[in-house]
């Protein structure tokens, strides 16, 4: 049977990326806590799994690289090498290189690069030095895994018959390494069987033609042996049998190959544990599918499903409006059925939405490495605290929030946390803390990035803003207003720009990216105590809970999450500040009034402020009073991208189709506030 | 193979071959060709394995097949040098005897 392995390649790449993430997490754990066998085993397993997959698909550069990585890990695992900073750094760089190699291989490009070759050489050099020197200086003096183990009077003796299947070597397995692992469990005697070794001229050099009869004496349980053979399952036949205590069978012939142990020396009763790799496709599936309790589904399929559900929601809404006008004996039953349909559709919609949800750890997982590397480069001591990693968020939102969060964390490390001596001089511990905290808040999610660093310098920010003409020196600004200035394009107060976050192109982009997700970012900072960025995000980009508002013949949808309050103005409440913008007093502050019909050129039914309604909406820490004719109902609407179906409109986040079939624009409140601030202010007072 | 392996006639009834630093699966086709060339000369073989830094079962299997072929022709294979890595790997899978390699004093790890 011929199997087209290409169909499994995407799954291999996807699985391998997950595996590399796991590897990175485990390596960071090793870096922080020192070498522990379980974690090294985890990294080893990951490297082995990638190597196996790469071998199946013929990505030899990746196979070779992971092979060397495995060798190094094996040295660590066997206690023959210490986890020095050099080793630790090389292992972490391997993660980066593997990601690059996988990306290149997926694009059909050569996986090896100058960088991967250099690191490969370094890994080999580490292995060579480690092998010669060992953790204590000389290999001879280094306690091996065997000698370090306490000796017990009578270790159990295991007979192991091992025969390679043809694919063993090309799948990245090597009996040399396998037997090294076994020798690490105790004392190993090896007798090769050359019976099937053909003459050199007929020998396929990529096929292992050898078999072995091994005797292992160990105090460890059988599970320890099985664990080692787990790596070669499917690529060999092996039989493990405990020898009776009185059996002194040993491979003591100094030239055992001249009297090769007959294969039938293996007890007939013990059926060989044959794991033939007869079906390469099944192997590939097994290598890439993970456990059988889950399946991988492309995001496009889920989006198609979600779109279909969205259409059902619209149709159901239309039917409900129609049903409201139907009379007769069956009208009540029809309405009852539609109510039932509405409940079912909502449940279906929520189920599909949940499929798209991923825990925030999907994004947070990159930060331990980031913080470690940057702290090392800047000579700072930084502890990263993460909480709420299991909070779930839509996959698309998560993917897009990654870069802004990276920038905020970099900003905290670069500009927030002080150097250890500066901190000590300020009466703080030398180690600073960066916190990432995610939690649900109403119908949205909040991610906070905070640090206990120096906080923002109000005077420096103001001075910079004045020098750039962004504010007038005579302006009286609150702390929050001053802090908000750092989100202006091109604003940077760094003494010297670094390649981390000081180019002054960052914070405005961060805010814009978050706004584009329908979210907001706010900032709280206290001099000497630290800074906190608060990012609010919608749970999903697919649906929104909206308030329908009428302006003339048009209906607009305002995300409920942005609404602070709705009210009707009375004469005397409205005034003009400095003879310019119309404002009204709301909870102790003056809120500017924005007439929605003026922004979008829609003729209103209510031109007078006292005839219509004001919706106080908030975005990025700023509030406006949005003037509309009237409020209609509230409903959950399916967001259709205006950008991909029409074009980008400032202040509009998308569109939806209402029950009666008309299109309504969904307002992007932060964008709308920005748009309003660029327009000439309304000067009419009421 | 990473390094250029060399070979030359040592004397009339012996040819010598220098193994490259890497004798792994990846290098196995080239190593097989190199060894076949030597075996075709039909004389004793002097192998210099002192430069071998990496060797796996694939490489050792080729050497084992060569040693057996030479032995069956009543000729001999001997070593002018063998690196610690080569000796350790050969000892680990039990082929030192067939290869006629000097024993790995440190023993396989």
């Amino acid at each position: 049977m011929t199997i087209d392995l290409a169909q499994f390649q995407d799954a291999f790449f996807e699985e391998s990326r997950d595996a590399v993430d796991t590897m990175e997490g485990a390596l960071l754990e090793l870096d922080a806590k020192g070498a522990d066998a379980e974690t090294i085993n985890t990294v080893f397993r990951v490297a082995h799994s990638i190597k196996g997959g790469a071998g199946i698909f013929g990505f030899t550069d990746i196979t070779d690289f992971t092979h060397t990585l495995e060798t190094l890990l094996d040295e660590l695992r066997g206690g023959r090498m210490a986890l020095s900073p050099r080793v630790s750094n090389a292992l972490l760089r391997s993660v980066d290189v593997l990601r690059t190699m996988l990306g290149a291989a997926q694009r059909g490009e050569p996986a090896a690069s100058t960088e991967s070759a250099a690191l490969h050489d370094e890994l080999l050099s580490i292995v060579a030095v480690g092998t010669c020197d060992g953790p204590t200086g000389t290999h001879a003096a280094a306690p091996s895994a065997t000698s370090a183990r306490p000796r017990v009077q009578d270790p159990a003796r295991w007979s192991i018959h091992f025969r390679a299947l043809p694919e063993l070597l090309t799948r990245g397995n090597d009996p040399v390494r396998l037997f090294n692992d076994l020798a690490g469990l105790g004392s190993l005697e090896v007798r090769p069987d050359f019976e099937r070794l053909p003459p050199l001229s007929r020998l396929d050099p990529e096929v292992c033609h050898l078999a072995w009869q091994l005797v292992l004496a160990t105090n460890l349980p059988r599970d320890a042996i099985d664990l080692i053979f787990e790596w070669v399952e499917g690529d060999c036949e092996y039989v493990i049998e405990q020898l009776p205590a009185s059996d002194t069978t040993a491979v003591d012939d100094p030239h055992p190959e001249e009297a090769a142990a007959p294969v039938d020396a293996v007890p007939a009763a013990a059926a060989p544990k044959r794991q033939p790799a007869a079906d390469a496709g099944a192997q590939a599936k097994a290598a890439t599918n993970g456990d059988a309790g889950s399946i991988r589904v492309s995001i496009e399929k889920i989006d198609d499903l979600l779109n279909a559900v969205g259409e059902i929601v619209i149709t159901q809404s239309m039917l409900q409006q129609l049903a409201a006008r139907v009379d007769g004996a069956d009208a009540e039953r029809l309405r009852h059925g539609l109510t039932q349909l509405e409940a079912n559709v909502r449940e279906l919609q929520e189920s599909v939405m949940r499929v798209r949800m991923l825990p925030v750890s999907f994004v947070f997982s990159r930060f331990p490495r980031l913080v470690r590397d940057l702290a090392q480069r800047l000579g700072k001591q930084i502890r990263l605290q993460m909480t709420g990693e299991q909070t779930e968020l839509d996959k698309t939102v998560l993917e897009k929030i990654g870069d802004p969060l990276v920038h905020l964390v970099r900003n905290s490390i670069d500009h927030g946390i002080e150097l250890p001596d500066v901190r000590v001089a300020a009466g703080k511990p030398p180690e600073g803390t960066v916190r990432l905290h995610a939690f649900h808040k109403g119908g949205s999610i909040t991610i906070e990035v905070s640090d206990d660093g120096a906080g923002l310098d109000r005077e420096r920010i103001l001075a910079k803003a004045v020098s750039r003409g962004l504010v007038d020196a005579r302006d009286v600004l609150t702390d929050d207003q001053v802090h908000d200035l750092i989100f202006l394009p091109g604003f940077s107060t760094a003494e010297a720009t670094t390649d981390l976050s000081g180019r002054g192109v960052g914070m405005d982009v961060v805010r814009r990216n978050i706004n584009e997700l329908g979210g907001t970012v706010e900032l709280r900072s206290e001099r000497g105590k630290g800074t906190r960025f608060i990012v609010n995000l919608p749970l999903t980009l697919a649906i929104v809970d909206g308030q329908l508002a009428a302006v003339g013949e048009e209906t607009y949808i305002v995300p409920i999450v942005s609404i602070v309050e709705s009210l009707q103005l009375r004469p005397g409440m409205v005034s003009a500040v400095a003879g310019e913008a119309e404002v009204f007093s709301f909870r102790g502050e003056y809120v500017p009034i924005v007439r929605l019909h003026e922004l979008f050129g829609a003729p209103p039914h209510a031109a007078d402020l006292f005839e219509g309604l004001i919706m106080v909406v908030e975005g990025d820490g700023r509030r406006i009073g949005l003037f509309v004719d009237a409020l209609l109902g509230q409903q959950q609407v399916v967001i259709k991208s205006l950008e991909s179906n029409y074009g980008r409109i400032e202040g509009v986040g998308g569109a939806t189709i209402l029950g009666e079939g008309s299109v309504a624009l969904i307002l992007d409140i932060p964008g709308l506030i920005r748009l309003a601030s660029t327009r000439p202010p309304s000067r009419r007072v009421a | 193979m990473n390094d250029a392996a060399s070979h030359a006639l040592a004397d009339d009834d012996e040819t010598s071959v220098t193994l490259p630093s890497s004798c792994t699966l990846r290098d196995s086709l080239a190593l097989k060709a190199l060894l076949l060339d030597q075996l075709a000369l039909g004389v004793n073989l002097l192998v210099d394995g002192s430069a071998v830094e990496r060797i796996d079962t694939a490489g050792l299997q080729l050497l084992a097949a060569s040693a057996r072929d030479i032995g069956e022709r009543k000729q001999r294979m001997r070593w002018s040098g063998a690196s610690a890595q080569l000796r350790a790997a050969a000892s680990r899978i039990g082929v030192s005897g067939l290869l006629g390699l000097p024993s790995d004093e440190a023993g396989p790890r």
Side-chain angles (χ1 to χ4, degrees):
Chain A
M1 182 170 63
T2 305
I3 297 283
D4 179 13
L5 287 179
Q7 62 182 306
F8 302 113
Q9 277 196 16
D10 284 345
F12 161 70
F13 287 120
E14 205 169 328
E15 293 274 342
S16 295
R17 284 203 183 84
D18 288 351
V20 169
D21 289 345
T22 305
M23 183 191 274
E24 186 172 42
L27 286 173
L28 286 165
E29 210 171 298
L30 282 182
D31 192 54
K33 297 178 186 166
D36 89 275
E38 190 49 46
T39 315
I40 293 175
N41 259 334
T42 302
V43 183
F44 191 97
R45 278 169 192 274
V46 169
H48 188 82
S49 136
I50 296 174
K51 186 176 84 171
I56 289 171
F57 296 112
F59 300 124
T60 49
D61 292 329
I62 298 176
T63 314
D64 289 347
F65 186 85
T66 42
H67 176 80
T68 304
L69 189 59
E70 256 188 16
T71 309
L72 194 157
L73 290 163
D74 196 42
E75 295 295 305
L76 282 174
R77 190 166 66 162
R80 295 180 292 272
M81 182 189 290
L83 185 69
S84 65
R86 182 189 177 201
V87 174
S88 194
N89 282 332
L91 288 172
L92 278 167
R93 280 169 52 215
S94 301
V95 167
D96 302 333
V97 162
L98 268 176
R99 282 198 184 107
T100 311
M101 290 179 97
L102 287 165
Q106 191 167 22
R107 292 191 298 274
E109 298 165 7
S113 64
T114 317
E115 190 192 1
S116 70
L119 184 59
H120 197 165
D121 286 346
E122 186 174 347
L123 294 176
L124 287 168
S125 136
I126 290 172
V127 170
V129 171
T131 305
C132 296
D133 295 344
T136 55
T138 63
H139 175 62
S144 71
T146 313
S147 63
R149 202 159 282 123
R151 287 192 65 81
V152 175
Q153 200 66 23
D154 293 311
R157 290 164 59 78
W158 300 88
S159 156
I160 304 168
H161 177 69
F162 174 80
R163 178 177 294 284
L165 288 175
E167 304 84 1
L168 181 85
L169 301 180
T170 51
R171 295 248 169 96
N173 295 301
D174 181 11
V176 173
R177 202 171 52 254
L178 181 76
F179 296 173
N180 266 335
D181 289 345
L182 286 172
L185 302 181
S187 157
L188 183 71
E189 296 157 5
V190 182
R191 182 199 293 260
D193 173 2
F194 298 111
E195 195 180 310
R196 297 191 188 180
L197 182 68
L200 183 65
S201 57
R202 286 195 280 116
L203 187 151
D204 180 345
E206 295 191 339
V207 171
C208 183
H209 305 273
L210 304 178
W212 288 268
Q213 180 63 44
L214 312 168
V215 175
L216 172 67
T218 178
N219 293 311
L220 294 173
R222 160 75 187 255
D223 287 354
I225 306 173
D226 288 337
L227 191 64
I228 287 173
F229 278 95
E230 210 175 85
W231 302 118
V232 287
E233 291 257 346
D235 300 330
C236 66
E237 293 173 0
Y238 65 94
V239 179
I240 304 174
E241 279 245 321
Q242 186 166 8
L243 295 170
S246 58
D247 190 336
T248 54
T249 305
V251 187
D252 52 5
D253 186 338
H255 301 289
E257 53 271 26
E258 289 165 12
V263 174
D264 59 10
V266 175
K273 184 168 181 180
R274 185 181 164 85
Q275 303 283 344
D279 184 338
Q283 279 287 329
K285 266 187 179 170
T288 53
N289 266 2
D291 67 88
S294 63
I295 55 164
R296 281 183 179 269
V297 179
S298 75
I299 198 76
E300 288 80 16
K301 283 185 183 171
I302 296 172
D303 283 348
D304 287 349
L305 188 58
L306 193 61
N307 270 333
V309 175
E311 296 300 329
I312 294 174
V313 170
I314 291 167
T315 311
Q316 168 245 319
S317 179
M318 286 178 182
L319 288 174
Q320 270 179 327
Q321 292 198 4
L322 273 176
R325 298 198 289 269
V326 172
D327 294 323
D330 289 333
E332 192 52 38
R333 286 174 59 196
L334 174 64
R335 280 191 283 273
H336 178 75
L338 284 170
T339 306
Q340 189 66 40
L341 177 66
E342 183 186 11
N344 293 342
V345 168
R346 181 169 283 254
E347 198 174 318
L348 175 63
Q349 192 172 32
E350 284 172 3
S351 298
V352 180
M353 293 300 305
R354 273 200 299 275
V355 175
R356 282 188 55 102
M357 295 293 215
L358 286 174
V360 170
S361 55
F362 177 80
V363 166
F364 278 13
S365 59
R366 71 181 72 176
F367 291 112
R369 174 77 187 280
L370 181 87
V371 172
R372 172 198 180 272
D373 287 358
L374 295 193
Q376 217 170 52
R377 273 171 64 188
L378 296 171
K380 296 181 178 180
Q381 294 175 21
I382 300 174
R383 185 162 55 104
L384 176 67
Q385 276 186 353
M386 297 192 291
T387 47
E389 297 109 306
Q390 293 311 310
T391 313
E392 289 193 328
L393 191 56
D394 183 272
K395 184 177 190 287
T396 308
V397 182
L398 268 181
E399 282 168 349
K400 292 185 175 171
I401 198 61
D403 288 344
L405 285 181
V406 164
H407 199 94
L408 294 178
V409 170
R410 281 184 163 170
N411 196 80
S412 282
I413 297 170
D414 200 14
H415 303 315
I417 304 287
E418 312 92 327
L419 286 164
D421 53 341
V422 177
R423 290 181 62 87
V424 171
K428 295 178 175 180
E431 185 183 61
T433 303
V434 172
R435 286 190 187 84
L436 281 163
H437 179 41
F439 56 96
H440 282 294
K441 188 178 165 190
S444 62
I445 187 174
T446 300
I447 301 176
E448 290 185 357
V449 179
S450 59
D451 66 70
D452 65 348
L456 293 181
D457 186 336
R458 177 190 161 95
E459 301 314 317
R460 271 177 57 201
I461 294 172
L462 256 182
K464 175 76 83 175
V466 170
S467 75
R468 299 222 168 160
L470 298 170
V471 292
D472 191 285
R474 291 163 299 180
D475 287 351
V476 179
L477 300 176
T478 64
D479 281 352
D480 284 348
Q481 286 170 321
V482 172
H483 296 156
D484 216 47
L485 294 172
I486 71 164
F487 289 109
L488 293 177
F491 193 95
S492 172
T493 60
E495 298 293 348
T497 57
T498 69
D499 61 345
L500 301 184
S501 57
R503 296 188 194 283
V505 293
M507 298 309 288
D508 61 316
V509 177
V510 168
R511 174 166 272 178
R512 196 171 64 233
N513 287 354
I514 292 171
N515 287 163
E516 280 170 6
L517 289 172
T520 60
V521 57
E522 294 169 40
L523 170 63
R524 305 270 183 278
S525 185
E526 196 172 341
R527 188 90 182 111
K529 291 196 174 170
T531 301
R532 184 158 54 111
F533 291 98
I534 304 154
V535 179
N536 286 300
L537 295 164
L539 282 176
T540 174
L541 297 181
I543 54 170
V544 65
D545 280 316
Q547 169 70 56
L548 277 58
V551 175
E553 298 304 314
E554 301 295 329
T555 301
Y556 295 93
I557 291 160
V558 182
I560 285 177
V561 72
S562 304
I563 302 172
V564 180
E565 195 172 309
S566 299
L567 51 98
Q568 186 155 32
L569 293 176
R570 294 187 306 276
M573 288 174 72
V574 182
S575 54
V577 172
E580 291 192 351
E582 282 178 305
V583 296
F584 68 100
S585 176
F586 178 76
R587 296 183 190 172
E589 64 174 308
Y590 285 104
V591 175
I593 295 170
V594 174
R595 288 172 160 86
L596 194 57
H597 65 262
E598 285 185 352
L599 280 184
F600 291 140
H605 289 319
D608 188 306
L609 281 182
F610 310 122
E611 290 175 10
L613 283 172
I614 289 285
M615 300 172 78
V616 182
V617 291
E618 187 174 52
D620 287 334
R622 294 159 71 190
R623 286 174 176 174
I624 58 169
L626 202 58
F627 178 64
V628 298
D629 286 354
L631 298 185
L632 307 172
Q634 292 183 354
Q635 73 177 71
Q636 202 171 52
V637 297
V638 180
I639 303 172
K640 301 279 180 188
S641 166
L642 207 59
E643 206 165 345
S644 55
N645 292 309
Y646 173 71
R648 184 172 170 74
I649 301 176
E650 187 71 22
V652 176
T656 195
I657 301 167
L658 296 174
E660 81 280 11
S662 67
V663 173
L665 297 179
I666 302 167
L667 301 183
D668 159 29
I669 297 302
L672 199 75
I673 294 173
R674 280 196 303 276
L675 178 67
S677 67
T678 61
R679 294 290 181 92
S682 303
R683 288 166 190 274
R684 303 160 295 186
V685 175
Chain B
M1 275 181 284
N2 295 341
D3 301 346
S6 61
H7 59 89
L9 283 177
D11 54 44
D12 287 348
D13 62 353
E14 187 173 63
T15 182
S16 75
V17 62
T18 300
L19 297 181
S21 63
S22 180
C23 301
T24 64
L25 180 69
R26 195 181 185 185
D27 319 297
S28 58
L29 286 173
L31 181 61
K32 179 184 173 184
L34 174 71
L35 293 169
L36 274 176
D37 284 349
Q38 301 311 302
L39 263 60
L41 298 173
V43 293
N44 297 326
L45 185 61
L46 178 66
V47 186
D48 181 0
S50 52
V52 175
E53 290 173 6
R54 295 186 293 280
I55 188 159
D56 60 10
T57 303
L60 289 165
Q61 180 177 252
L62 288 168
L63 292 172
S66 304
R68 200 182 55 179
D69 289 1
I70 289 172
E72 284 173 358
R73 294 197 315 229
K74 308 293 180 202
Q75 287 165 333
R76 64 190 163 89
M77 177 166 136
R78 63 189 184 97
W79 296 83
S80 60
S83 68
Q85 289 91 334
L86 168 61
R87 282 183 285 123
S91 177
R92 175 51 69 221
I93 64 165
V95 297
S96 301
L98 177 63
L99 296 183
L101 267 174
S103 66
D104 180 29
E105 285 170 16
R109 285 179 286 109

